[in-house]
């Protein structure tokens, strides 16, 4: 993943539209790959002002480069990049409709930003799950009570 993000960020700079900050305007208005007819007005507003288009064009490049070196960063920085990567790929899904790509990259981002042996920040502890099972938590209410157990 680090290689893919590094290549993606550097390769974009060899294209005039990415280098001058106008690529997002062209992607959003492209009839084949651009926003769907329902979202086109939203993306037209987002890409109507030059400085905003430049930011929307260069932000993915910066984020992809940061993701490419994320293994060298602290866990807290990687979690911030995880949120940024999720958002970036969500926007790709909304703009281009590539939802299978979005799901695959979200999974890859989880692996990249949480290396082997690390736990996810929202992980449910085994103790909570076992408490729920011991209490006969067949319904959602019992599971919620076990999750909020103060003896955790």
């Amino acid at each position: 993943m680090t290689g893919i993000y590094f290549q993606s960020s550097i390769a974009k700079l060899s294209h005039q539209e990415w280098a001058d900050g106008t690529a997002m305007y062209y992607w959003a208005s492209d009839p084949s790959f651009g926003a769907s007819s329902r979202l086109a007005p939203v993306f037209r507003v987002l890409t109507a002002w030059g400085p905003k288009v430049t930011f929307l064009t260069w932000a993915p490049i910066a984020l992809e480069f940061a993701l490419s070196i994320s293994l060298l960063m602290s866990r807290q920085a990687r979690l911030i990049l995880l949120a940024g990567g999720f958002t970036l790929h969500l926007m790709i899904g909304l703009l281009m409709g590539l939802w299978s790509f979005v799901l695959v990259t979200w999974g890859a981002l989880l692996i990249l930003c949480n290396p082997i042996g690390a736990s996810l920040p929202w992980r449910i502890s085994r103790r909570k799950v076992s408490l729920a099972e011991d209490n006969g938590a067949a319904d959602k209410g019992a599971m919620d009570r076990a999750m909020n157990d103060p003896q955790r």
Side-chain angles (χ1 to χ4, degrees):
M1 284 307 297
T2 59
I4 290 169
Y5 280 119
F6 181 75
Q7 190 276 336
S8 179
S9 65
I10 299 302
K12 282 180 175 69
L13 296 176
S14 67
H15 298 278
Q16 182 64 33
E17 297 82 10
W18 285 98
D20 68 15
T22 59
M24 202 54 65
Y25 169 79
Y26 294 114
W27 275 111
S29 58
D30 185 271
S32 298
F33 293 104
S36 66
S37 59
R38 290 180 298 189
L39 293 176
V42 173
F43 282 101
R44 236 186 324 272
V45 169
L46 288 174
T47 59
W49 186 48
K52 197 184 319 179
V53 173
T54 302
F55 173 78
L56 291 173
T57 300
W58 288 344
I61 295 171
L63 181 61
E64 287 173 340
F65 184 77
L67 283 165
S68 76
I69 60 171
S70 64
L71 292 177
L72 304 174
M73 297 180 185
S74 69
R75 178 166 168 71
Q76 183 177 2
R78 287 194 320 263
L79 291 177
I80 291 168
L81 288 174
L82 176 65
F86 268 45
T87 304
L88 170 69
H89 292 93
L90 174 65
M91 298 312 292
I92 290 170
L94 290 173
L95 179 63
M96 301 173 111
L98 301 172
W99 292 106
S100 59
F101 170 76
V102 172
L103 293 175
V104 168
T105 53
W106 281 352
L109 280 169
L110 284 173
I111 294 169
L112 174 65
C113 295
N114 282 300
I116 295 172
S119 63
L120 297 174
W122 58 82
R123 189 177 120 189
I124 299 172
S125 73
R126 288 191 179 115
R127 186 176 190 292
K128 288 181 182 179
V129 172
S130 66
L131 281 173
E133 290 170 353
D134 291 345
N135 292 334
D139 64 336
K140 184 181 181 321
M143 179 63 95
D144 289 340
R145 286 189 298 279
M147 295 291 293
N148 296 321
D149 184 69
Q151 295 178 1
R152 178 182 176 248

